[in-house]
Amino acid sequence: MQGAVRTEKPVILGISGSERAGGNTDLALDYAGELVRGRGATFRTLYLRDHRISPCSPCGDCNSRTIPCALPDDMPAIVEEMKRADGIIYAVPVHGFGLAHLMQIFIERAGVGFLRFDRPLANKVGGIIVTGRRYSDASVHNQLVDNLLLNRMILVGSGFPALIRNTSPEPGLNDTEGLDALERMAHRMIDMTLLLRRHRSATGEPVLPLDDRNERVERSRSLS
């Protein structure tokens, strides 16, 4: 029901795009989970490496298809998990000066195969954590910002982006400034989630309208 008021704890879903269990990305996402739980919210973690996600196939009908992708893998269940969350944090390492391949495959399949039809993530709060050694973390962050904005999510400014750097061969959260940015982001995501819930509780409506189905539907242009 569109106007229903939710009373359960807010849910933040952390999605790890790292192939390495227990690496810098997982450590940073675990820390975000501690912060979220400390605010009384629920934090769930989804590791892309544990799921079967097919790369986009050469079918070529992405721009004309009007139904979700039919490739048989775990993407439908992952998308449903995203829909159930109040907020989503993408956490990913820099690989080869760019986005790690698991996350690249995931955002392509999720966006083109499922999310583009109705933008079901609209008005959810989004956050990004990028781990790296030294270079290109800002470029990876920018790509994920574009993805969250495309899905009409709400990005809460929190000072510096959560870019966690580690030049040691051993995983570790040693970047004090990066961790400070992560902390600010996590707290402001919860603050915004609670604000959105209070608005819905008071009005019975989402804070931003959801009647604009997607960017491929022609909109009436009115100056009023």
Side-chain angles (χ1 to χ4, degrees), residues 192-214:
M192 177 57 74
T193 297
L194 295 174
L195 176 63
L196 296 174
R197 285 188 167 215
R198 284 197 296 270
H199 176 88
R200 183 181 284 273
S201 178
T203 68
E205 298 293 336
V207 69
L208 294 172
L210 298 174
D211 52 356
D212 191 9
R213 182 166 174 261
N214 64 51

Side-chain angles (χ1 to χ4, degrees), residues 56 62 65 67-70 79 107-117:
C56 286
C62 296
R65 182 171 18 86
I67 58 175
C69 181
V79 170
I107 62 173
E108 288 178 2
R109 287 272 286 117
V112 175
F114 299 89
L115 303 178
R116 73 190 308 175
F117 304 109

Side-chain angles (χ1 to χ4, degrees), residues 166-183:
N166 182 13
T167 58
S168 169
E170 296 299 321
L173 300 180
N174 307 312
D175 183 352
T176 302
E177 190 173 76
L179 288 179
D180 181 68
L182 192 161
E183 291 169 3

Side-chain angles (χ1 to χ4, degrees), residues 12-28:
I12 304 296
L13 176 66
I15 299 180
S16 172
S18 175
E19 301 90 340
R20 184 182 184 186
N24 294 314
T25 303
D26 283 5
L27 292 177

Side-chain angles (χ1 to χ4, degrees), residues 9 35 47 52 68 76 78 115 126 141 169-170 178 213 220-221:
K9 292 181 179 180
L35 296 169
Y47 301 99
R52 188 166 57 93
I78 294 174
L115 303 178
H141 186 271
E170 296 299 321
R213 182 166 174 261
S220 59
R221 300 193 176 276

Side-chain angles (χ1 to χ4, degrees), residues 19-115:
E19 301 90 340
R20 184 182 184 186
N24 294 314
T25 303
D26 283 5
L27 292 177
L29 200 54
D30 288 345
Y31 185 54
E34 292 177 15
L35 296 169
V36 169
R37 295 186 188 100
R39 292 290 303 274
T42 297
F43 189 84
R44 296 174 182 156
T45 309
L46 189 150
Y47 301 99
L48 295 181
R49 61 179 176 267
D50 294 337
H51 294 270
R52 188 166 57 93
I53 303 175
S54 304
C56 286
S57 73
C59 60
D61 66 350
C62 296
N63 288 322
S64 58
R65 182 171 18 86
T66 58
I67 58 175
C69 181
L71 283 175
D73 61 9
D74 294 340
M75 277 305 306
I78 294 174
V79 170
E80 288 304 312
E81 188 76 13
M82 296 169 77
K83 290 180 182 179
R84 288 191 288 268
D86 295 277
I88 297 171
I89 297 177
Y90 288 155
V92 64
V94 176
H95 283 182
F97 301 102
L99 191 66
H101 78 278
L102 280 180
M103 185 65 80
Q104 181 68 50
I105 292 171
F106 166 72
I107 62 173
E108 288 178 2
R109 287 272 286 117
V112 175
F114 299 89
L115 303 178

